Amino acid sequence: MKKVLQLCPLFILLLVSTVYSMSNKEVLQMIEKKLFGKLSDGSEIFAYTLKNQNGMTAKIINYGAIVVSLTAPDKNGKFDDIVLGYDNLDSYVADNNYFGAIVGRYGNRIGKGKFLLEGKTYQLTINNGENHLHGGKTGFNKKVWSAEPIESETDPALKLTYVSKDREEGYPGTVTITVVYTLTKNNELKIEYTGTTDKTTIFNPTHHSYFNLSGNMNTTILDNELWINADKITPVDNSLITTGEYADVANTPMDFRSPKKVGKDINADFEQLKFGLGYDHNWVINGYNKKVNKIASLYEAGSGRYMEMYSDQPGVQFYSGNFLDGTAAGKKGVKYQHRSALCLEAQCFPDSPNKPKFPSVILKPGEVYKQTTIYKFSTK
Ligand code: BGC
């Protein structure tokens, strides 16, 4: 009996370590790491596939913090990839559509790439006509991020970090950005951002997935029903720079206050749609209170897939894939046609640094920028 008692702690230790290593093994299966490709300088880029307990997957690479694929079930339980992207790294290096990427430092446009901050004028790279778009020529979408899988049996996550040097693309201050992608047990892709700086700067990152909820990328998104919780947009001029004013959506094609098919009014004779070649505007979220609220939803009747979007940001850019023209050869060789997917990008308003009426995007040393945006998937 004495011997048994002596052995008992040993037995418990053995049992605990076996259970721990078994559960750890299971956890590791929730995040699979594979080589995705090599950049011309030889750096290796890895793909991390997060899988939740319902079978949903998100494949993310540490180049551009890009979501390469996202699978979600349809009304019959069939999983399909519902985002545009490429099969190989070279295509992402060449890409100018920002498929699935984290965009920054500034999501969307800054007029003539110029802004005044604390009495000093800064000139950013010009990469879109005469304007600055999505962080410049080599934005966050073209950078190598460090990646740290966060193992969890229920909510696997990937933490990505990038340090953007002072004056990169013309922006002041060295900025450290972290993005945590979590695939939750509630079938959400949750994106949490933090940002810090060592000099006063501007900061407005966003996520740029192109969704086609049907999973069939040979179709358009024109029959998808979109709802956006916004009474107003920030109208643009013909170079897609915000005018600095707000415009009511009531009685215009921009009204998505009740779910409406994207294609219903997209070709209407309406100046804002002419400027954007379709929808390419920022909607001003009603009741913005810096908390995570439901701001938009998208429904595709054929598959029954329903996506709800939650965010703590004041705006959302709805871009109806107007610049897709069949030249981007995507996954499985599919050539992505005009309006074959759409983006819903949580953000502060475009060209805010130059628009006194818009919320501030200034980040100062000692402050921590935070953003949470969630895309939640279900069926109906
Ligand atoms: C912008 C579009 C742009 C697209 C791809 C969207 O966020 O609003 O104007 O063409 O990204 O770069």
Side-chain angles (χ1 to χ4, degrees), residues 97-98 108-109 133-134 208 210 280 317 319 323 345:
N97 294 298
Y98 302 82
N108 215 278
R109 291 175 178 78
L133 172 69
H134 291 335
H208 213 289
Y210 285 66
D280 193 356
Q317 184 82 11
Y319 168 58
F323 297 111
E345 306 152 52

Side-chain angles (χ1 to χ4, degrees), residues 142-160:
K142 301 277 185 206
K143 300 290 184 187
V144 179
W145 297 55
S146 63
E148 184 192 328
I150 304 170
E151 295 156 359
S152 154
E153 287 188 41
T154 52
D155 301 87
L158 185 69
K159 180 179 178 184
L160 294 139

